[in-house]
Amino acid sequence: MAEKALQIKGTVLEKFVAPPEAEGTYVVVIPENIRTVGEDAFRDRNDLKEALFKSGVKKIGSFAFSGCQKMDMLILPETLGSIGKYAFNFCEAVDRILVPNTVKTMGEGVFCACRGLSLVSLPNGLEKLPASAFHKCASLAQITLPAGLRAIGKGAFMFCGKLKTVHVPAGVESIGTEAFAYCGALKDVYLSETVTAIGKNAFYDCRDLTIHAPKGSYAEAYAVKNKIPVVCG
């Protein structure tokens, strides 16, 4: 059983130590007593197919599942509060991720280079989308940003080549440097009057982009200054 190969200390799952198997072999159930999945716990395990969480896990550490390229099933528990940096980067086979509303913080590059990812649900209480959160998520065609969001980090959607339309909710105040750079299919971005800062090259090489913004807003002025077509409403 794969569960017998879990190195556990107290309530922390420190490492998956099963011997390497054929790609996409192991299905691992995270035990109920685990509260933290430690840093690097499953890093680069191409033989991991699924990780099934029991209720109780509150924290997933940095790089915990990084490079698990054959993992195609990921269901996060409703008890989860934080996800560390690059926790799921290069999980290329995962096509959908539902982040529960209990999650308040996510680290840099959390879903970076999840190339098969096409559907994401983000928690309502998330205030900042971290830098490089969805960098190089090549299959991501749409995203619904939560109403409580206040900031979009640097390079958050950089190289998301299928992203077409983004509605940035009222309340977002800042959009980071290169946040949407090289999103070649991006045609429409809707911004509100609450946006007061947009970083350098935030929409670089988005050649067919139109910004929709309130008349007299910072977003309108930004679009005009950067020679991006703008529709005011």
Side-chain angles (χ1 to χ4, degrees):
M1 293 289 291
E3 288 71 28
K4 293 181 180 179
L6 299 176
Q7 182 176 302
I8 295 171
K9 185 176 182 180
T11 60
V12 179
L13 195 168
E14 294 185 332
K15 198 73 175 177
F16 182 55
V17 293
E21 291 286 350
E23 292 185 347
T25 296
Y26 287 117
V27 175
V28 176
V29 178
I30 310 297
E32 290 184 3
N33 66 314
I34 296 300
R35 299 294 175 264
T36 300
V37 177
E39 293 186 10
D40 302 314
F42 293 89
R43 188 171 186 173
D44 294 329
R45 293 301 301 244
N46 280 339
D47 48 7
L48 182 66
K49 179 177 175 60
E50 296 181 25
L52 305 177
F53 291 84
K54 296 286 188 178
S55 180
V57 174
K58 296 181 178 180
K59 178 182 178 180
I60 296 175
S62 298
F63 297 95
F65 294 90
S66 174
C68 293
Q69 297 183 30
K70 301 301 178 181
M71 184 172 68
D72 60 7
M73 177 64 70
L74 180 63
I75 300 176
L76 299 174
E78 294 293 336
T79 52
L80 191 61
S82 67
I83 307 174
K85 64 181 181 181
Y86 298 98
F88 296 101
N89 78 315
F90 285 105
C91 291
E92 297 184 342
V94 173
D95 66 349
R96 59 188 61 199
I97 296 175
L98 307 180
V99 184
N101 286 326
T102 50
V103 173
K104 302 301 181 186
T105 60
M106 301 193 306
E108 178 180 351
V110 60
F111 301 115
C112 175
C114 291
R115 302 183 193 278
L117 186 63
S118 61
L119 176 63
V120 178
S121 175
L122 293 172
N124 293 329
L126 188 68
E127 293 190 357
K128 182 177 181 180
L129 193 64
S132 302
F134 297 101
H135 182 199
K136 291 187 177 179
C137 289
S139 299
L140 189 64
Q142 59 182 5
I143 184 77
T144 299
L145 298 174
L149 198 65
R150 296 293 177 265
I152 297 173
K154 177 182 178 181
F157 296 97
M158 191 174 180
F159 288 109
C160 289
K162 290 189 176 181
L163 197 61
K164 295 179 180 179
T165 302
V166 176
H167 292 262
V168 177
V172 170
E173 300 169 356
S174 64
I175 298 173
T177 300
E178 297 180 329
F180 296 93
Y182 302 103
C183 292
L186 190 60
K187 293 186 178 299
D188 297 285
V189 172
Y190 294 80
L191 303 175
S192 76
E193 67 280 351
T194 62
V195 175
T196 57
I198 300 176
K200 184 178 180 181
N201 294 328
F203 301 99
Y204 184 77
D205 207 31
C206 298
R207 299 181 182 183
D208 296 322
L209 175 64
T210 296
I211 287 178
H212 301 257
K215 185 70 175 177
S217 66
Y218 171 90
E220 180 200 12
Y222 170 87
V224 171
K225 180 180 178 181
N226 289 274
K227 299 180 181 180
I228 300 172
V230 60
V231 174
C232 295

